[in-house]
Amino acid sequence: MTDLNKRHLLRLAAASVAAAALPSHAAGEKPLKIGWIYVGPVGDGGWTFAHDNGRKAVEKKFGDRVQTVFVENVPEGPDTERVARDLVSQGCGLIFGTSFGFMNPMLKVAKDHPNVKFEHCTGYKTAKNLRTYEARNYEGAYLAGLIAGTVSKSGKLGHVATVPIPEVLRNLNSFALGARVVNPKATLQVVWLNEWHNPPKEVEAATTLINGGADVLFQNTDSSAVLKTAESMGKHAFGWNSPMAHYGPKAHLGSSIIDWAPYYEHAVGQALDGSWAVGPNQWWGVKEGAIDLIDIPDSVPADARARVDKARAGMKDGSFSIWTGPVKDNTGKEVLAAGKVADDDFLKAIQFYVDGVQGKVPGAK
């Protein structure tokens, strides 16, 4: 059991005790109503499922001080604005939007409702009452890459990608960087879906990659379809965002997970005690207990496990940075000089493939 698993169990136990110990509301005091807007279904087993577990953790910790609601399967665009306005009309004082494409609609609604607090996940635009938060998913991707580079027999890896934005490019590049620590000749082929959640297309993309020679798959999509496909075709893959071993026990090499509970408990606590304020993007990772690679099977070689443990420990104490130069893109251009450590501005602006990733970033000149 990893440290993150242990912390999660301890947090749930502590949350139950804390909720029981909280004082009841004064007469007439209303709970803070909090709304979540989800791009996919809560049962996707991945991205939205992880966010909804964070919502449930908030309920357990704060008890009758909060009331939570959510709307799932909300398309990015006009429907986002409609749902956000509806949540305001229902009395939500704090609203979380959990997909990149929710950014502009939420910004618009936030400006129209200055007394409501808004939080947008993975975005970069803010307002006086709208702040941003994110998880350092790329750290889990790198840890997975360390295992992929060890386990792959062909040296050919595959990635089922969603939308070509820096967040996704950062993840797949970090996976490739991890794999090439172990096997400098490893390559990564990418298939883009231009969607976050579409299981049939995810299956098709995974099948294409395997038929092209990939024997280990990674993903940025929201469902378990990639892992299931690897299982059915006798290859390996990873879970993404949530524990997924049960979807493909023979194929599964570990799950790169997000635990949103620490951040959601932090944000809601601030809203309740009056300290909530807009500031720098809240970007949490291994160090804060939000990211980890878990459920690594016994079949993974001990040297790969040791590499994961060492890298994880370095991320926790700040002694290791994935993005340390020299780093070249796949055209041979140096994008990060030798000895230089990438800052968050660099990481948020990635629009290239690192060495070893095949092809060209969609839309790149």
Side-chain angles (χ1 to χ4, degrees):
M1 182 180 290
T2 67
D3 289 344
L4 183 53
N5 277 333
K6 293 176 182 176
R7 285 197 302 273
H8 182 62
L9 292 173
L10 290 172
R11 182 165 47 248
L12 291 179
S16 298
V17 174
L22 289 172
S24 300
H25 285 295
E29 184 180 356
K30 294 182 178 179
L32 173 65
K33 191 168 186 178
I34 312 165
W36 273 262
I37 306 174
Y38 298 146
V39 71
V42 294
D44 67 1
W47 176 258
T48 296
F49 179 73
H51 280 284
D52 202 53
N53 282 342
R55 178 189 65 82
K56 292 174 181 176
V58 165
E59 289 184 332
K60 289 180 179 179
K61 177 165 185 176
F62 295 104
D64 63 2
R65 299 179 70 194
V66 299
Q67 177 186 354
T68 76
V69 295
F70 67 86
V71 183
E72 58 187 331
N73 291 314
V74 178
E76 297 174 328
D79 279 344
T80 308
E81 180 180 342
R82 175 185 59 78
V83 170
R85 292 190 185 280
D86 184 58
L87 289 172
V88 171
S89 72
Q90 291 181 38
C92 288
L94 174 62
I95 297 174
F96 295 97
T98 63
S99 190
F100 180 80
F102 292 172
M103 180 169 62
N104 289 330
M106 288 189 69
L107 186 67
K108 184 176 180 180
V109 177
K111 289 180 177 179
D112 290 343
H113 298 279
N115 294 324
V116 177
K117 299 174 179 65
F118 293 84
E119 299 217 19
H120 177 230
C121 184
T122 74
Y124 57 88
K125 294 181 180 179
T126 62
K128 292 181 178 179
N129 59 328
L130 169 64
R131 73 181 185 186
T132 57
Y133 66 104
E134 196 167 354
R136 295 185 184 271
N137 311 67
Y138 67 93
E139 294 180 341
Y142 177 85
L143 298 178
L146 293 174
I147 291 178
T150 304
V151 172
S152 176
K153 295 181 180 179
S154 68
K156 295 181 179 180
L157 312 176
H159 184 86
V160 180
T162 48
V163 181
I165 58 175
E167 173 196 353
V168 180
L169 291 166
R170 189 169 57 240
N171 293 339
L172 70 87
N173 281 329
S174 296
F175 176 72
L177 288 173
R180 285 168 70 87
V181 165
V182 185
N183 179 3
K185 294 183 179 180
T187 60
L188 179 65
Q189 183 67 43
V190 183
V191 174
W192 291 94
L193 302 185
N194 293 306
E195 292 185 69
W196 297 104
H197 182 264
N198 188 326
K201 287 181 69 174
E202 293 167 41
V203 170
E204 182 180 345
T207 301
T208 297
L209 289 166
I210 291 172
N211 287 340
D215 59 358
V216 179
L217 302 184
F218 197 58
Q219 67 186 71
N220 215 109
T221 49
D222 291 351
S223 83
S224 57
V226 172
L227 179 60
K228 289 179 178 178
T229 303
E231 177 87 356
S232 68
M233 297 182 71
K235 304 301 180 182
H236 288 103
F238 294 86
W240 183 243
N241 293 320
S242 300
M244 290 188 178
H246 56 290
Y247 291 112
K250 294 181 180 178
H252 184 261
L253 293 175
S255 286
S256 175
I257 68 164
I258 309 174
D259 184 353
W260 289 108
Y263 181 72
Y264 283 141
E265 291 171 1
H266 166 78
V268 171
Q270 289 184 325
L272 289 170
D273 68 20
S275 64
W276 190 96
V278 176
N281 179 56
Q282 304 291 304
W283 204 1
W284 291 24
V286 169
K287 182 179 179 180
E288 294 82 7
I291 296 292
D292 201 0
L293 184 71
I294 68 168
D295 297 338
I296 301 171
D298 294 339
S299 59
V300 171
D303 58 343
R305 292 167 169 275
R307 290 189 191 98
V308 169
D309 291 342
K310 182 178 179 180
R312 181 193 291 118
M315 292 174 193
K316 284 183 180 180
D317 65 21
S319 63
F320 172 68
S321 176
I322 297 166
W323 286 83
T324 300
V327 176
K328 294 182 179 181
D329 70 13
N330 67 352
T331 70
K333 177 184 176 182
E334 186 176 77
V335 293
L336 194 63
K340 185 175 181 180
V341 177
D343 59 17
D344 285 353
D345 288 339
F346 176 95
L347 293 171
K348 292 176 184 177
I350 289 175
Q351 288 288 349
F352 57 82
Y353 286 152
V354 296
D355 193 19
V357 182
Q358 298 178 335
K360 189 175 180 180
V361 175
K365 295 181 181 180

